[in-house]
């Protein structure tokens, strides 16, 4: 599990991070004091679980959860609360919070709550896998081929922590177009590739420039999240399989290495990471073809 901790109390954040690491519950990919910039940080890092304080100076936890969900965040929330107020607890449940950790923080309670949350997430993922598997049974041969491609691409993107990003759909559609061509040559120019995908999706010629620009932005943001995810893994343990395999193949490793050092030193990015879209798409295409053999 990948965690993001939101609490205006630095001591609480430090205690939670220590418990997560020491009990091997996952990795902490980021933390914040609850300021307004937190919303962007959570979207960029795309954690599985957000531990969020109920009462904070700039924005309370319930409102922050509400805004994150409205903006499309798909992760789970665990609320930290020192206040026992039935109305506020009820409101928190309505926004999607299912577990609470009471303050002052107790190590045993934190471990128990997080393990319950992890089990629930894993159960949900298992049920989704079963549902997807059952949907394949009895499908005609042409559809099986398409689903097989989707399954392979989704698995790779999931390893990179970006299967749920908006741009993942664009990336899948690009892989479909490239696979249909079955060309081992270099990729066509990106603009041409985006136009091919947009036309295949039924976008009118008059709307192509707008859609091409939007597609490029979605893909760029998605690849940026992948870089952040792999850098977070590498900062904890560079022998993790996903980091070892994808970081040097799909990305500019110097960019990931720089971001790893910043994460290890608890530093904010000094500049936006450089994203090589064409390299990423080419390597993903080659990996997809290889895994379909």
């Amino acid at each position: 599990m990948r965690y993001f901790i939101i609490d205006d109390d630095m001591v609480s954040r430090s205690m939670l991070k220590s418990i997560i690491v020491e009990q091997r519950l996952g990795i902490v990919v980021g933390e914040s004091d609850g300021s307004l910039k937190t919303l962007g940080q959570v979207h960029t890092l795309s954690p599985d679980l957000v531990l969020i304080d109920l009462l904070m100076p700039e924005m309370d936890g319930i409102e922050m959860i509400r805004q994150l969900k409205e903006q499309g965040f798909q992760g789970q929330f665990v609320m930290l609360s020192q206040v026992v107020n039935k109305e506020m607890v009820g409101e928190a449940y309505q926004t999607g919070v299912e577990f609470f950790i009471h303050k002052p923080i107790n190590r045993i309670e934190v471990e128990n709550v997080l393990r319950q949350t992890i089990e629930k997430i894993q159960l949900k993922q298992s049920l989704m896998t079963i549902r997807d598997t059952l949907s394949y049974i009895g499908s005609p041969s042409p559809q099986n081929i398409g689903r097989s491609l989707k399954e392979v691409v989704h698995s790779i993107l999931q390893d990179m922590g970006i299967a749920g990003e908006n741009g993942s759909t664009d990336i899948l559609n690009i892989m479909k177009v490239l696979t249909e061509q079955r060309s081992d040559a270099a990729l066509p120019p990106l603009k041409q590739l985006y136009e091919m995908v947009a036309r295949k999706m039924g976008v009118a010629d008059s709307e192509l420039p707008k859609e091409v620009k939007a597609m490029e932005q979605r893909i760029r943001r998605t690849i940026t999240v992948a870089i952040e995810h792999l850098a977070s893994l590498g900062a904890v343990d560079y022998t993790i399989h996903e980091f070892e395999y994808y970081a040097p193949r799909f990305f500019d490793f110097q960019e990931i290495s720089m971001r790893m050092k910043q994460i290890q030193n608890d530093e904010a990015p000094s500049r936006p990471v450089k994203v090589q879209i064409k390299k990423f798409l080419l390597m993903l295409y080659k990996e997809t073809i290889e895994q379909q053999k």
Side-chain angles (χ1 to χ4, degrees):
M1 292 291 113
R2 302 171 68 253
Y3 299 84
F4 192 100
I5 303 171
I6 305 173
D7 195 320
D8 58 314
D9 182 3
M10 186 171 61
V11 175
S12 293
R13 297 201 305 269
S14 179
M15 287 181 65
L16 289 166
K17 188 173 182 178
S18 174
I19 295 168
I20 289 168
V21 173
E22 289 175 8
Q23 298 302 319
R24 299 179 179 272
L25 297 169
I27 60 173
V28 177
V29 298
E31 58 182 87
S32 170
D33 59 4
S35 58
L36 295 178
K37 66 180 181 180
T38 303
L39 297 171
Q41 292 175 322
V42 173
H43 282 295
T44 298
L45 293 169
S46 190
D48 302 300
L49 262 171
V50 176
L51 308 184
I52 183 167
D53 193 20
L54 176 59
L55 300 177
M56 294 180 291
E58 291 192 38
M59 184 187 301
D60 67 61
I62 293 174
E63 179 58 28
M64 187 164 287
I65 291 172
R66 187 176 288 117
Q67 291 198 25
L68 284 168
K69 282 181 167 290
E70 287 175 354
Q71 295 169 9
F73 178 66
Q74 300 294 319
Q76 302 296 309
F77 297 92
V78 172
M79 183 73 80
L80 311 169
S81 176
Q82 195 168 11
V83 178
V84 182
N85 181 312
K86 290 184 178 179
E87 290 183 1
M88 294 187 77
V89 170
E91 190 177 357
Y93 278 123
Q94 289 178 353
T95 60
V97 174
E98 298 186 41
F99 292 97
F100 278 82
I101 291 174
H102 300 93
K103 288 187 172 182
I105 291 171
N106 178 285
R107 281 182 170 267
I108 295 176
E109 182 189 12
V110 171
E111 183 180 356
N112 288 339
V113 168
L114 293 185
R115 290 198 186 280
Q116 288 181 56
T117 311
I118 291 169
E119 287 176 5
K120 181 160 187 177
I121 291 173
Q122 291 174 338
L123 176 60
K124 182 179 178 181
Q125 291 173 341
S126 297
L127 290 173
M128 289 177 66
T129 300
I130 293 170
R131 183 198 65 188
D132 291 343
T133 302
L134 290 174
S135 70
Y136 297 157
I137 298 175
S139 297
S141 179
Q143 289 187 354
N144 281 338
I145 294 173
R147 289 185 185 277
S148 178
L149 170 69
K150 179 179 179 181
E151 187 177 16
V152 170
V153 174
H154 179 81
S155 174
I156 296 170
L157 298 185
Q158 194 168 42
D159 284 347
M160 297 187 202
I162 54 175
E165 296 295 315
N166 287 338
S168 65
T169 301
D170 299 303
I171 292 170
L172 173 60
N173 289 333
I174 287 173
M175 292 303 110
K176 287 179 179 177
V177 168
L178 293 175
T179 305
E180 287 170 3
Q181 292 182 340
R182 281 291 180 181
S183 172
D184 294 328
L187 298 186
L190 289 179
K191 182 181 177 183
Q192 180 183 336
L193 190 55
Y194 298 153
E195 288 177 349
M196 291 166 62
V197 171
R199 286 195 176 98
K200 191 172 182 64
M201 300 305 295
V203 177
D205 287 350
S206 59
E207 295 293 320
L208 276 180
K210 180 180 177 181
E211 176 57 25
V212 164
K213 184 176 181 180
M215 190 183 302
E216 193 274 341
Q217 290 174 344
R218 291 192 297 265
I219 292 173
R220 183 175 296 276
R221 283 196 295 266
T222 298
I223 297 175
T224 300
V225 172
I227 292 173
E228 190 73 28
H229 173 69
L230 292 173
S232 298
L233 294 180
V236 175
D237 183 357
Y238 57 81
T239 64
I240 292 174
H241 169 72
E242 288 81 359
F243 174 80
E244 277 191 318
Y245 190 82
Y246 295 109
R249 288 176 172 82
F250 283 69
F251 307 93
D252 181 343
F253 191 74
Q254 289 184 340
E255 290 293 310
I256 291 184
S257 179
M258 177 191 71
R259 186 67 190 111
M260 281 169 54
K261 292 176 182 176
Q262 291 170 340
I263 292 171
Q264 289 168 337
N265 296 327
D266 200 21
E267 299 175 0
S270 56
R271 59 169 175 77
V273 295
K274 295 177 182 177
V275 176
Q276 297 182 4
I277 297 178
K278 200 161 189 176
K279 178 181 180 180
F280 176 88
L281 294 176
L282 179 60
M283 293 308 301
L284 179 59
Y285 173 58
K286 289 182 177 180
E287 184 72 17
T288 300
I289 295 299
E290 184 64 29
Q291 289 196 28
Q292 282 190 297
K293 289 181 179 178

